[in-house]
Amino acid sequence: MSCSRFTAPARSVPIPIPAPPAPFTISPMLRQSIEQRLQQAVARRLPDADLTSVLVRPCPDPKFGDYQSNALMGLAKQRRLNPRQLATEIAADLQLDDLCEPTEIAGPGFLNFRLKPAALAAMLSVAARGEHLFFRPATEPYTVVVDFSSPNVAKPMHVGHIRSTILGDCLARTLRLLGHRVITDNHIGDWGTQFGMLLVGWKTLLDEAALDRDPIAELERIYRAVNARCSEDKPEFDPATLEQARAELVKLQGGDEENTGIWRRMIALSQQQFDTIYGRLGVRFDHTFGESFYNDRLAEAVTELESRGIVRESEGALLAFFDDVPPLKNQPAIVRKRDGAANYTTTDLATLQYRLATWNPDEIIYVTDGRQQLHFQQVFEIFRRWHPDAPVRLSHVWFGSILGENNQPLKTRSGENIKLADLLDEAEERALRVVAEKNPELPESEQREIARMVGLGAVKYADLLPNRQSDYVFSWDKMLALNGNTAPYLLYAATRIRSIFRKLAESGETFDLAAAGADLTLAEPAELALAKQLQNFDFVLHAVAEEHRPNYLCNYLYELAGQFTGFYEACPVLRAEGTVRATRLVLCELTFRVLAQGLEVLGLEVPERM
RNA sequence: GCGUCGGUAGCUCAAUUGGAUAGAGCACCUGACUUCGGAUCAGGUGGUUGGGGGUUCGAGUCCCUCCCGGCGUACCA
C-alpha cells in the first residue's frame, strides 16, 4: 500500500559513476586477486605453463565454495602428472590467508576457495567510499566499432530492427563502461535500386499534404505503388514504369541535380523518424555513414582486389572463390555484378577499409540477424586476403528471429511488418494499465512516466534475456509479468530499495554511505550471499563484453535481485541497530547501485517507485 | 544436394576454458503475513538434455552417424 504523501516525482535515478581506479599493484577484485595468486603459484611450480588457461570462476554451487579453479586438472593431464598431487602442491604454496579460508581440494583436482567475511567486508568498505562498483575497467582498453540498427531510408522502422538496435546499444554501453574506446556507426540503407522507384513515385504520385502529415507513410505508399508496376508477377505490371525507374536510378547515380536533391530530402525525412525512435529508446550513434558514403570508394576497392588476384571474372561478374575454405567451398561472393554495379559485399568491404584507415580499431562488431552469416563469412575472408596482417578482430554478432505466438516470424494480423513505433506505443499502454491499477493514487503524469520506463524496459529486457542466437517468441504477458526474470521484477527490486531510503529520509535521518561503510559486520547467511553476488559483477561484465552476450548480465541481475529479496526477508534493515543496521544499509545502497548500473548498461531506466 | 544454427521439465528459456547432483520462471500442489510496499518469500511435483556410437577421471557442451526443424545457398540487402 503506497502512501500518497510521498509525492516524489518519478524520475530516472542518476547512476553513480565510480571514480577511475588508482593504479593497483594488485587487483581490487577478490576473484581476480585469487586468480593472480594462483597463476603465480602455478608459474613457480610449472614455469612453462600457459597461465591464460589458469582461471578462477564463481562456483556453480555454493556448497563447494565461492570460487573454484579446475585448471590444474587440465595442466596435470597435459604433463601426465597426478592431478590431485599437483593440486596439493600448488595449494600448499598459495598465499591466500588474507582473503580465503584454507583452500580445499576436491574430486579429481578442483580447487575450492571460500572467502573470509572480513575480506568481503573490506571490499564493501572500499565500494562504499566510491572507489569502485565491483568491477574494474579493462586493463588494456581497445578501440571498437559497433555497427548496428541499420534501418532503410524511406521505410518505417519495424520489429526487424529492434534486436540489432537494442543488442548493439547494450554492447556499446558495456564496452564503454569497461573503458574501451567505442565508436557507434549506423550503416543506414540510403542507396540502392529502390531509389529508382522512389524517384518515379515522388515525381508522379506524391501527395505533398500527406508527406507533411506522415512522411514515411507517404514514401512507403509511393514506393509500393511503383514497385507493383515494376514487378512482372503483379497485375499492375507496367514495363514503361520499370524502364522509367531504371532511367531515374541512372540519373541519380550520375549525380543529376534534381534527383540528388529529392534523394537528400528522403534521407532527411527518414532521419527524423530514426531520431524519434532512437530518442525513445535512448540510443545514440557517433556516426551515420550510410551505404552511399562509400560510393566513391567502391571502384578502387574492386580494382585492388582484382590486382591482388583475390577476385576473378566469371560469367561476366567479378567473384571471389574460396575453394580452400571448406564451409565456403561452392559459395563464391560477387564483388562486381555483370552490369558493372557494386553490391552489398562491395560496400561492406569498402566500409571495412574505411573504418580501418580512419579509426584503426582493434575490433569491429556487426550486429545483424543470423541470415547474414554467409555474407559476413565471405566479407571477412576476402578482407583477410586483402589485409592479411591487419590485427583487427571481426565479430559478426548475429541473432535469431522474433516469432509470434504461432511460431512464425512476428507480423500483424494482416501479415504486415509491425512498425516499431506502434510496438513501443503498445508497450507503454500495456504498462500504464498495470501501473494505474497498482498505483491509482499517483498523478497521471507520473503514472505515464513510470509506464514509459517499465514498458520500454520490458521490451528491451525481453530482447536481451534469451541467448541471442536462438529465436524467441514475443509475448506481452511474459515480458510485463511481475514475477520471473522480467524487467518489471528487476525494477521493482530496485524501487523497494529506494523505498527503504525514502523511509529513512522521512524520519529525518541522513545516510552517509562512506561513513556507514567504515565499520561493517557480515554474519547472516543472506548478508554474505548478497555481498558475494555483488563481487561477481566484474566477472559478468567482462564476459558480456568478450562474448557479446548481454543475457549473462540479465541473468546476473536477476540472481542479484533474488539474493536481495532473500536478504530483505531475512534481515530487517531499519529495525536493526548499530553496526548491523549500518552494514545492511550499505548492502542495500550498494545493491541498488549495482542493479541500477547493470540496468543502465542494458538500456533500462529505473523509476523512483512503481 | 551443400552449408549453417538449433532440438534441454507440460510451456518459455538458462547452464561461464568440457567440471561436481542439468538450473530458473510460468503452470500445478503445500505453507508463511495485522507486511522496513504481498508487484513478496519458503518448500514440493516435474528430465533417458531428439536417437545411437565414440573420446575423457568427467560430455547438454567435443567427434562420428541417423531423425526432426529454422535459415542461407551467383548478380536483393
Side-chain angles (χ1 to χ4, degrees):
Chain A
M1 223 49 41
S2 144
C3 177
S4 56
R5 281 201 315 279
F6 304 149
T7 51
R11 63 186 165 79
S12 188
V13 179
I15 306 301
I17 307 288
F24 290 106
T25 52
I26 188 146
S27 164
M29 298 294 121
L30 298 179
R31 185 203 65 82
Q32 206 188 21
S33 298
I34 297 168
E35 187 172 273
Q36 284 176 350
R37 294 190 207 174
L38 177 63
Q39 289 178 352
Q40 288 161 5
V42 169
R44 286 192 290 271
R45 175 66 179 74
L46 305 170
D48 59 336
D50 173 18
L51 296 180
T52 60
S53 69
V54 179
L55 302 176
V56 170
R57 53 168 220 175
C59 270
D61 187 329
K63 83 180 181 202
F64 298 126
D66 300 318
Y67 294 102
Q68 70 166 221
S69 178
N70 51 42
L72 301 187
M73 291 179 282
L75 289 175
K77 180 183 262 186
Q78 286 166 18
R79 287 146 213 277
R80 298 181 177 196
L81 298 172
N82 178 319
R84 272 202 73 105
Q85 191 183 338
L86 178 67
T88 306
E89 289 172 20
I90 287 178
D93 187 37
L94 258 178
Q95 300 298 319
L96 290 173
D97 295 347
D98 52 334
L99 303 178
C100 299
E101 307 294 346
T103 304
E104 291 171 21
I105 300 158
F110 292 99
L111 292 184
N112 289 331
F113 307 101
R114 202 174 297 273
L115 295 171
K116 283 183 173 169
L120 275 168
M123 284 299 295
L124 292 183
S125 295
V126 179
R129 292 202 300 268
E131 292 179 25
H132 67 74
L133 192 56
F134 304 102
F135 70 92
R136 74 204 192 279
T139 46
E140 293 175 23
Y142 53 83
T143 301
V144 53
V145 176
V146 189
D147 175 329
F148 66 101
S149 197
S150 314
N152 288 314
V153 164
K155 289 183 186 167
M157 288 184 75
H158 56 82
V159 278
H161 298 111
I162 198 172
R163 294 200 86 176
S164 176
T165 305
I166 288 170
L167 263 168
D169 182 55
C170 174
L171 293 176
R173 287 170 183 259
T174 306
L175 290 160
R176 278 208 184 92
L177 182 68
L178 293 177
H180 298 296
R181 295 176 290 274
V182 177
I183 298 154
T184 50
D185 184 10
N186 195 0
H187 194 71
I188 60 171
D190 63 355
W191 199 249
T193 52
Q194 75 270 27
F195 283 100
M197 290 181 258
L198 281 163
L199 283 162
V200 172
W202 185 283
K203 291 178 179 182
T204 63
L205 300 173
L206 192 67
D207 176 343
E208 291 281 359
L211 192 72
D212 281 344
R213 279 197 306 275
D214 187 345
I216 301 303
E218 177 60 5
L219 290 175
E220 193 185 23
R221 184 187 70 81
I222 63 173
Y223 173 77
R224 287 187 176 189
V226 178
N227 186 50
R229 293 183 203 173
C230 293
S231 306
E232 289 182 24
D233 53 347
K234 295 269 173 68
E236 297 94 331
F237 179 60
D238 169 30
T241 305
L242 181 58
E243 193 44 51
Q244 201 184 349
R246 283 184 182 143
E248 296 291 359
L249 182 63
V250 169
K251 279 169 70 181
L252 175 66
Q253 288 167 338
D256 173 79
E257 202 169 309
E258 184 192 10
N259 281 9
T260 302
I262 295 171
W263 170 71
R264 290 224 167 89
R265 180 118 185 258
M266 289 192 279
I267 293 175
L269 291 169
S270 297
Q271 190 62 49
Q272 288 172 17
Q273 176 216 194
F274 301 155
D275 290 343
T276 302
I277 298 263
Y278 294 140
R280 289 181 76 178
L281 291 174
V283 172
R284 68 173 192 82
F285 292 92
D286 298 312
H287 302 288
T288 302
F289 294 146
E291 292 169 350
S292 68
F293 179 80
Y294 304 95
N295 281 349
D296 56 6
R297 301 165 199 273
L298 300 174
E300 188 187 330
V302 172
T303 305
E304 279 204 40
L305 293 171
E306 217 174 349
S307 67
R308 287 162 193 259
I310 297 168
V311 295
R312 63 180 163 85
E313 193 262 321
S314 170
E315 296 178 33
L318 268 184
L319 284 81
F321 289 87
F322 314 99
D323 291 338
D324 51 333
V325 182
L328 295 180
K329 199 172 160 70
N330 303 322
Q331 299 285 358
I334 291 181
V335 156
R336 190 175 65 202
K337 300 194 285 186
R338 191 158 39 204
D339 64 4
N343 67 1
Y344 67 123
T345 300
T346 331
T347 313
D348 274 337
L349 286 164
T351 304
L352 197 32
Q353 168 89 328
Y354 174 83
R355 287 173 176 164
L356 198 68
T358 307
W359 298 307
N360 191 27
D362 300 286
E363 181 178 15
I364 303 176
I365 294 173
Y366 298 83
V367 188
T368 83
D369 74 85
R371 289 175 298 195
Q372 296 190 41
Q373 285 176 86
L374 175 60
H375 166 65
F376 281 105
Q377 281 177 29
Q378 292 172 330
V379 168
F380 294 171
E381 185 59 32
I382 293 172
F383 184 78
R384 289 295 173 211
R385 296 172 183 198
W386 188 4
H387 296 279
D389 300 322
V392 61
R393 175 185 180 193
L394 300 175
S395 305
H396 183 210
V397 174
W398 60 268
F399 52 83
S401 308
I402 303 181
L403 306 178
E405 306 279 6
N406 57 1
N407 272 8
Q408 295 297 310
L410 189 63
K411 302 272 183 187
T412 63
R413 284 178 201 284
S414 55
E416 306 272 303
N417 282 327
I418 295 172
K419 293 186 170 74
L420 193 42
D422 294 343
L423 186 93
L424 300 183
D425 288 345
E426 185 167 355
E428 293 189 28
E429 285 161 17
R430 285 175 179 263
L432 181 59
R433 274 179 243 153
V434 181
V435 172
E437 183 196 335
K438 300 288 184 186
N439 304 281
E441 77 286 357
L442 293 180
E444 192 190 327
S445 62
E446 186 175 349
Q447 289 178 2
R448 285 192 181 283
E449 185 62 358
I450 295 169
R452 185 185 65 79
M453 297 182 200
V454 173
L456 298 181
V459 169
K460 288 186 172 190
Y461 194 79
D463 212 68
L464 295 168
L465 175 63
N467 180 327
R468 61 177 161 77
Q469 288 175 331
S470 51
D471 296 344
Y472 83 90
V473 176
F474 189 93
S475 163
W476 288 116
D477 290 342
K478 286 198 169 117
M479 72 177 72
L480 286 167
L482 308 164
N483 286 319
N485 196 347
T486 66
Y489 179 85
L490 291 180
L491 297 179
Y492 177 63
T495 58
R496 286 176 111 182
I497 303 179
R498 296 325 302 157
S499 154
I500 291 173
F501 286 98
R502 263 204 309 279
K503 194 125 187 167
L504 190 72
E506 190 198 353
S507 70
E509 200 176 332
T510 56
F511 175 66
D512 181 333
L513 178 61
D519 181 22
L520 301 172
T521 169
L522 294 170
E524 291 294 321
E527 295 170 336
L528 288 163
L530 182 58
K532 288 169 182 175
Q533 180 70 7
L534 290 171
Q535 295 290 317
N536 290 337
F537 193 37
D538 178 78
F539 184 78
V540 168
L541 283 174
H542 285 275
V544 170
E546 177 60 26
E547 297 180 41
H548 314 119
R549 292 192 186 276
N551 61 313
Y552 293 167
L553 180 56
C554 295
N555 286 317
Y556 168 80
L557 293 175
Y558 178 61
E559 282 169 23
L560 177 62
Q563 298 280 12
F564 177 76
T565 47
F567 158 81
Y568 184 85
E569 294 286 326
C571 302
V573 178
L574 296 179
R575 291 201 300 265
E577 292 178 349
T579 313
V580 172
R581 187 169 189 263
T583 298
R584 291 178 181 174
L585 281 167
V586 168
L587 280 169
C588 286
E589 178 61 21
L590 292 176
T591 299
F592 174 79
R593 291 189 181 194
V594 170
L595 267 177
Q597 178 70 79
L599 290 167
E600 195 254 0
V601 160
L602 295 176
L604 273 68
E605 294 179 73
V606 182
E608 177 69 23
R609 57 202 171 130
M610 59 186 275

